[in-house]
Amino acid sequence: FQMDSTDSVGTDGSRNRLGFGCSGSGGSLVRIRGPSQLCHNRRSVKYSGARSWTARFGGLKYEVDVSNLPTSLQNSVHTIKDGAGTIEEYDQAVQKVLKHRADYEELKVVLVDCLTLPAMHHVNAASRALEEVMDASLIAPILSLLKGLNYSAQGEGLRLLGYFGDPRVFLIMKDCAVDHLIPRCRRTACGVLASLNYDDKEDANDAYATLQQLVDCEDWTLRYAAIESLLNFKHMHFIEEDLKAKTPGIISGRLSAESEDSELLKAKIGYMVENKTI
């Protein structure tokens, strides 16, 4: 689930967010800002509300030692991690973390947290940056995204795991491809199954067989993802010949039986079957 910065409004009664407050004696009203002031801060209120939602239900729970970071970067991490900022402050914080991503190991997990931010341009920038700094230390934080409800962040996280290719995530990717609630995440997981750098022949064959089964899925977009993943399976040298030999029949049989599948896809796969490229 991805929330846009204009889709949610903070509901707590703090002075900073809603612009009014009461005195400590008898609850008498002290100050109410004028309409122009409220309008001026409206975007900041909404962004804080959206971030509070994602932090509670779809954000990343983690600890990071900021003691070795410059003070300005410490403040940026605090803004991103704790959801305490306006749109402008968030933008500055993300840009600063992106700028120094290669300078401090501590910022890697913060980039993973940026995948949960409400603004898509922040998510996209963090995703591209993570491709540059991705290593085994980020597998656990990315997998922890699967525990939340931010399905956009999960999709990006799954894609990054496929990009990195560590085979230790195989079983989780198999579960996502078969059972994830969100079609996009299932399709992404199919691609991950095809791109992992398997060091176990049994796992590779299990992944390949899973993709074959998904060719018969009810969702035609998932069928397409499964077929594409079979066609682009990275380590075909691991796949047993008898299992590999089933693929053309599985694909062509499904496509010939289903009129709803794209004619373009049919033509593409048909050509590959006829030319024995799969």
Side-chain angles (χ1 to χ4, degrees):
F1 184 83
Q2 183 66 33
M3 296 188 69
D4 185 79
S5 60
T6 60
D7 287 343
S8 181
V9 179
T11 56
D12 69 75
S14 68
R15 182 185 305 242
N16 289 338
R17 290 193 183 178
L18 297 184
F20 63 86
C22 296
S23 72
S25 57
S28 58
L29 187 63
V30 174
R31 176 172 58 90
I32 298 180
R33 293 184 179 179
S36 61
Q37 291 175 295
L38 288 173
C39 290
H40 176 74
N41 288 302
R42 187 180 180 190
R43 289 196 305 161
S44 300
V45 172
K46 290 186 175 182
Y47 198 88
S48 296
R51 182 53 175 157
S52 296
W53 195 97
T54 57
R56 182 178 178 186
F57 296 105
L60 186 70
K61 295 181 180 179
Y62 64 101
E63 297 297 329
V64 57
D65 182 4
V66 298
S67 59
N68 293 325
L69 301 180
T71 302
S72 60
L73 267 178
Q74 291 184 24
N75 294 335
S76 296
V77 171
H78 171 72
T79 296
I80 294 169
K81 183 177 183 294
D82 299 329
T86 64
I87 292 177
E88 294 78 12
E89 289 168 342
Y90 264 98
D91 192 62
Q92 292 172 9
V94 172
Q95 294 305 320
K96 190 160 292 186
V97 169
L98 289 170
K99 180 179 179 180
H100 295 283
R101 62 185 179 273
D103 301 330
Y104 301 96
E105 285 289 316
E106 297 89 340
L107 297 182
K108 291 181 178 180
V109 69
V110 181
L111 286 173
V112 176
D113 191 21
C114 287
L115 297 179
T116 71
L117 291 175
M120 282 306 300
H121 67 283
H122 292 153
V123 173
N124 294 335
S127 185
R128 291 192 297 269
L130 282 166
E131 291 181 3
E132 300 176 13
V133 300
M134 185 73 187
D135 60 27
S137 70
L138 295 180
I139 293 176
I142 290 177
L143 288 177
S144 71
L145 293 172
L146 298 175
K147 299 177 182 179
L149 297 176
N150 190 325
Y151 299 126
S152 177
Q154 290 180 24
E156 280 302 308
L158 292 173
R159 188 190 68 78
L160 287 164
L161 291 174
Y163 179 86
F164 187 56
D166 193 306
R168 290 176 294 178
V169 302
F170 159 63
L171 288 177
I172 296 176
M173 294 304 103
K174 178 183 175 182
D175 288 344
C176 286
V178 174
D179 292 324
H180 200 287
L181 180 65
I182 304 302
R184 176 196 172 189
C185 292
R186 295 184 69 186
R187 294 192 298 268
T188 304
C190 284
V192 176
L193 288 177
S195 62
L196 293 179
N197 296 315
Y198 294 99
D199 51 15
D200 186 294
K201 184 177 180 180
E202 185 176 344
D203 285 350
N205 280 273
D206 191 357
Y208 195 82
T210 299
L211 291 170
Q212 287 180 332
Q213 293 170 6
L214 290 172
V215 172
D216 207 34
C217 179
E218 292 183 1
D219 184 339
W220 79 267
T221 65
L222 188 57
R223 294 200 294 270
Y224 177 84
I227 291 172
E228 284 287 298
S229 298
L230 286 169
L231 298 178
N232 295 288
F233 201 87
K234 187 174 181 179
H235 291 287
M236 287 299 295
H237 60 281
F238 276 145
I239 307 305
E240 297 175 359
E241 290 300 323
D242 59 340
L243 184 62
K244 190 188 306 182
K246 297 178 182 178
T247 298
I250 290 173
I251 294 176
S252 60
R254 178 70 203 198
L255 292 176
S256 62
E258 292 295 330
S259 59
E260 71 222 50
D261 284 297
S262 164
E263 291 299 322
L264 180 62
L265 176 59
K266 284 186 182 181
K268 178 180 178 181
I269 303 303
Y271 174 83
M272 293 180 173
V273 171
E274 290 173 7
N275 289 274
K276 299 181 179 179
T277 56
I278 57 175

